[in-house]
Amino acid sequence: MEIGIVGKPNVGKSTFFEACSLSGAEIANYPFTTIKANRGMAYLRAADPGPALGVTSNPKNSFIRGSTRFVPVELLDVAGLVPDAHKGKGLGNQFLDDLRQASALVHVIDVSGSTDVEGNPVDKGSHDPRSDTAFLVNEVDQWFKGIISKDWTRLAKSSESTHMAIDKLLAEKLTGLGINIHHITMAISHIDRPDKPTRWTDEDLFSLSIELRKASKPMIIAANKADKADDGQIKDLTAHVKDAHVIPTCSEAEMALRKADKAGLISYMPGEGRFEITNASKLNDAQRKALQRIQDVLDRFGSTNVQKVLESAAYDLLDLIVVYPVEDEHKFTDKDGRVLPDAHLMKRGSNARDLAYKVHTDLGTHFIKGIDCRTRRTVGSDHELKDGDVIKVHANA
Ligand SMILES: Nc1nc2c(ncn2[C@@H]2O[C@H](COP(=O)(O)OP(=O)(O)OP(=O)(O)O)[C@@H](O)[C@H]2O)c(=O)[nH]1
Ligand SMILES: [Mg+2]
């Protein structure tokens, strides 16, 4: 599972990425700072199951603060996209390839209107951020269309001569784009097109691309640099966007808070609207003033909203749940005695066997039964998992 960060150059994609992952991405106030994609781990909040089960968790793939479990999800920060990237403008579209496996996209926009269409810094308000929404989805649509059109005639003829559904043939072709048969069947059902695939026009293929993008790369908008924007600018962008959730963010503040927390200067829980200064004597005047400005941002928006965007992408757009596999259903441990070690993100609707496969292919192949550790009930392979489930899998040796 991977979440991609997209947008035109210089809007704060790498700052958003860095705020979530603290992995050392380069950030600068000019376009195309990022050329090679940055990949890192971000963390989503979930309720740790330890307290309810009367045990103290000892996480391995995740971490805990207070009673909150932070669950890992991969995040990808790519180069900026400019209009006509699909025709080779800017850095062209080779980096769209980096987004192939992304399951959802965070579209970062400079809501303060301080960057022009190519990402150059301009006076606040001199660029209308509303124009940034349509071009980006169009670039993704054109990218999909290019891939579908290539080879379409052969595929359509083959579907008709072999009587194999076009959905299936397309699924084989598009699997590398993170597109599955369900996305395709749903997308085809939404377009008005002739029955025979050989008769589909260029326009039909473009409509299909749009529907496939909606199904396979759902998007949320981070109205970034909100600290610099007027309320009116945020309101205008939100009112303009009809088909995506718009959340004002301040990635720069989030990054500063996480770094200060890591350095032991403050105590800050990602997603919260407050922080505490823990080491006042170590702060210089500039840092004190910067923290005051950040507190003003938190008071204005409730939080920096970076965590909110990330969690909305995972929990709302992708409908993910968190599941905890264990080896000992009484002590909730793994084979090394670690309590509730791993937290896995799974699509809602996944079953016990899907979880077994996620832990290890052998465990999935040789699945016998599962135990729901909260209720102690035995569950079958097709038992649908719930958010927060703790599951022991029994398999043949
Ligand atoms: N005021 C303000 N500035 C921000 C915010 N987020 C990022 N910036 C600034 O915006 C500029 C660009 O940030 P980057 O994160 O490098 O932008 P990018 O979208 O990754 O840029 P490219 O890699 O060139 O496409 C930097 O000067 C950041 O400090 C924010 O929330 N508020
Ligand atoms: Mg960047």
Side-chain angles (χ1 to χ4, degrees):
M1 200 68 65
E2 204 172 80
I3 297 177
I5 306 173
V6 295
K8 74 178 184 187
N10 210 13
V11 289
K13 298 181 297 301
S14 297
T15 310
F16 186 104
F17 170 82
E18 187 60 12
C20 297
S21 67
L22 292 185
S23 56
E26 200 182 334
I27 292 164
N29 191 18
Y30 49 78
F32 300 119
T33 303
T34 307
I35 293 179
K36 201 172 157 285
N38 295 304
R39 220 174 258 280
M41 213 51 100
Y43 292 87
L44 311 170
R45 289 171 298 174
D48 182 60
L53 293 170
V55 292
T56 304
S57 298
N58 184 9
K60 195 161 77 183
N61 80 337
S62 37
F63 66 91
I64 289 188
R65 265 180 96 158
S67 54
T68 304
R69 178 73 72 119
F70 285 83
V71 184
V73 64
E74 220 176 321
L75 200 59
L76 187 66
D77 164 40
V78 300
L81 263 173
V82 293
D84 285 339
H86 72 280
K87 293 182 188 157
K89 262 199 101 186
L91 290 181
N93 67 358
Q94 86 270 7
F95 52 85
L96 278 168
D97 278 349
D98 292 327
L99 293 170
R100 294 177 84 92
Q101 288 300 332
S103 307
L105 301 177
V106 173
H107 180 188
V108 180
I109 289 180
D110 174 353
V111 69
S112 73
S114 312
T115 33
D116 71 11
V117 68
E118 264 134 24
N120 302 299
V122 291
D123 289 342
K124 175 184 157 185
S126 56
H127 174 81
D128 185 349
R130 287 177 293 191
S131 64
D132 292 345
T133 53
F135 101 80
L136 191 117
V137 290
N138 185 50
E139 287 305 321
V140 179
D141 294 341
Q142 297 284 3
W143 170 45
F144 274 24
K145 160 92 178 357
I147 294 169
I148 294 170
S149 305
K150 221 189 207 175
D151 223 24
W152 176 258
T153 314
R154 191 191 56 79
L155 211 68
K157 277 188 186 156
S158 152
S159 158
E160 287 176 29
S161 63
T162 61
H163 300 288
M164 195 155 159
I166 192 72
D167 311 33
K168 270 200 175 154
L169 292 172
L170 259 181
E172 279 167 25
K173 187 180 160 80
L174 300 179
T175 167
L177 277 179
I179 293 176
N180 61 38
I181 184 94
H182 305 292
H183 296 137
I184 295 172
T185 309
M186 187 157 74
I188 291 181
S189 75
H190 283 152
I191 61 167
D192 189 18
R193 84 289 167 199
D195 283 343
K196 288 190 163 192
T198 46
R199 300 235 182 104
W200 294 13
T201 61
D202 237 28
E203 242 170 63
D204 295 328
L205 294 186
F206 192 56
S207 306
L208 178 63
S209 306
I210 293 174
E211 293 303 325
L212 279 176
R213 183 256 305 155
K214 286 187 193 161
S216 68
K217 309 258 184 260
M219 189 182 281
I220 181 161
I221 292 181
N224 197 41
K225 306 195 188 182
D227 51 302
K228 259 171 97 174
D230 303 328
D231 289 345
Q233 289 178 299
I234 298 170
K235 232 167 126 186
D236 286 350
L237 180 68
T238 310
H240 175 75
V241 179
K242 300 280 181 268
D243 50 2
H245 194 177
V246 179
I247 299 180
T249 57
C250 185
S251 305
E252 199 172 49
E254 181 69 18
M255 188 177 72
L257 288 170
R258 299 237 191 158
K259 285 188 171 169
D261 178 77
K262 200 174 172 195
L265 297 171
I266 64 168
S267 170
Y268 170 68
M269 277 270 278
E272 302 223 324
R274 51 183 286 281
F275 58 87
E276 241 172 74
I277 296 177
T278 47
N279 205 338
S281 61
K282 264 187 153 181
L283 291 175
N284 60 34
D285 257 9
Q287 287 171 320
R288 227 182 298 271
K289 278 188 189 139
L291 284 174
Q292 185 50 55
R293 278 198 303 275
I294 290 175
Q295 187 58 59
D296 293 344
V297 169
L298 297 178
D299 291 344
R300 181 172 168 208
F301 297 105
S303 79
T304 70
N305 285 342
V306 166
Q307 193 67 23
K308 188 171 174 183
V309 165
L310 199 65
E311 286 169 5
S312 191
Y315 295 140
D316 302 335
L317 289 183
L318 294 174
D319 208 8
L320 302 180
I321 58 171
V322 185
V323 187
Y324 302 80
V326 294
E327 291 216 6
D328 183 317
E329 69 262 43
H330 304 290
K331 295 186 184 142
F332 318 115
T333 51
D334 65 6
K335 63 178 182 343
D336 302 320
R338 257 182 120 126
V339 179
L340 294 162
D342 294 330
H344 288 300
L345 290 169
M346 306 207 57
K347 274 264 182 212
R348 192 180 299 281
S350 299
N351 61 34
R353 191 195 289 271
D354 296 329
L355 175 65
Y357 269 113
K358 183 132 192 157
V359 175
H360 200 281
T361 317
D362 282 350
L363 207 57
T365 324
H366 300 114
F367 183 99
I368 302 172
K369 63 175 184 176
I371 309 277
D372 177 334
C373 299
R374 290 184 193 265
T375 61
R376 311 264 180 214
R377 284 213 184 105
T378 299
V379 298
S381 60
D382 57 358
H383 171 78
E384 186 176 324
L385 300 169
K386 294 183 306 301
D387 190 30
D389 268 355
V390 178
I391 304 283
K392 146 91 186 167
V393 171
H394 285 275
N396 272 325

